[in-house]
Structure formats: C-alpha cells, structure tokens
Amino acid sequence: EAARIEETLLQIVPFAGFPRAIAAFGAARPHLGPHVPPAEPMPPCATGPETFEAVYGKSADPIRQELGTRHPDLLAWIQAFAYGRVLARPVLSLLERELLAVSILTALGSLEGPLLGHMRACVRLGATPVDVAAAVTAVPHVLGEVHRDTARSLLARL
C-alpha cells in the first residue's frame, strides 16, 4: 500500500538525510500516485522523549548523556525530530521502523555503534535475532556486501 511505502521512504530522513529521501520520493512518486494523508493525526513533537525511551529502554539515560556530551543541541534535535516527528508517526509500528533503521544503517555502512543500538532496540521491541538478520539481508548486495558482513558480525552481540 502506498502509505506504508511513503512512511518507509520518510524513515530515510533521520538516518540518511533529506537529499536521499528527496531522491527516493522522486523515483517512487510516479508509481505511488498522489499523496493521501493518513487517517491518524501526526503525533505532537513532545512524544519524542517517550518514543526514545521505548526504543532504548534502560539504555536511554546513558545514551542521552552520551549524545549531550557530543553537542548540547544534538539530543534535543534527535528526540524532537527523529523520535517525535518520524519514529512516532502512524502507519508503521515502532518495531517496523526500527527494522528499517537496521536496513538503512547497514546500507550506509561504517555506523556500527548506531547500528548495534538499533538492532538491540528491535529485540527490545519484540523482534527475534532472525528478524534482525532479515533486515540486514534485505539490503541489496550491490550496496556493499562488506556492509552486510559487518552488520552480520554485530548480530552475535544481541
């Protein structure tokens, strides 16, 4: 269904940036037809901290502290935008969005820390290691078999 594909493409933004999402929509829009707004309302930005907590569980506070040491605005931006405006959106479940994050981060490569964090989030949200491995395998080999091999090696740390 077009709404699920659109949500999948929007999921690109917090992980790979607006330019890649714009390119993806440019390629997909002719096949999707015009955008139809979802029946569910968009969540308020304030849901970001709650969504962040749901994703990271007991690790949320240490991750918040680490992000804050990188730059004071980084945590606020990540919680408000990535978790409050993207991951909290309707249509796809939080687990589906986390599995997409694993695929996107695998495809990008060289992001082992965030990739492992999102792999663990998938398990925390109910995925099995086999489900997480499938998200890695979903990345086409032409995007880098090395990236997929690196991601597969992280599966042992779940």
Side-chain angles (χ1 to χ4, degrees):
E1 123 180 3
R4 292 180 60 79
I5 294 169
E6 287 183 3
E7 287 301 317
T8 297
L9 297 177
L10 287 172
Q11 186 77 16
I12 294 169
V13 174
F15 298 101
F18 284 104
R20 285 187 173 104
I22 292 167
F25 271 103
R29 180 54 61 206
H31 306 284
L32 295 174
H35 170 69
V36 176
E40 298 177 56
M42 292 299 114
C45 191
T47 62
E50 292 84 8
T51 305
F52 190 91
E53 192 79 29
V55 168
Y56 293 109
K58 294 177 187 175
S59 301
D61 284 338
I63 292 169
R64 283 185 182 110
Q65 290 172 356
E66 175 63 25
L67 290 171
T69 65
R70 306 261 172 127
H71 190 279
D73 292 334
L74 195 56
L75 173 61
W77 288 6
I78 288 171
Q79 285 189 144
F81 178 72
Y83 291 86
R85 291 285 186 225
V86 180
L87 274 77
R89 290 173 60 88
V91 180
L92 299 178
S93 70
L94 189 54
L95 175 56
E96 289 172 314
R97 291 182 182 282
E98 283 299 308
L99 289 165
L100 285 167
V102 168
S103 293
I104 294 165
L105 292 169
T106 297
L108 292 172
S110 301
L111 297 164
E112 289 83 1
L115 176 55
L116 180 59
H118 286 282
M119 287 175 157
R120 288 177 173 160
C122 289
V123 172
R124 189 176 299 107
L125 293 168
T128 66
V130 171
D131 297 329
V132 180
V136 170
T137 302
V139 175
H141 68 86
V142 297
L143 293 178
E145 193 60 34
V146 172
H147 296 173
R148 287 172 28 149
D149 289 343
T150 299
R152 284 187 192 105
S153 72
L154 293 174
L155 292 170
R157 295 175 57 188
L158 295 179

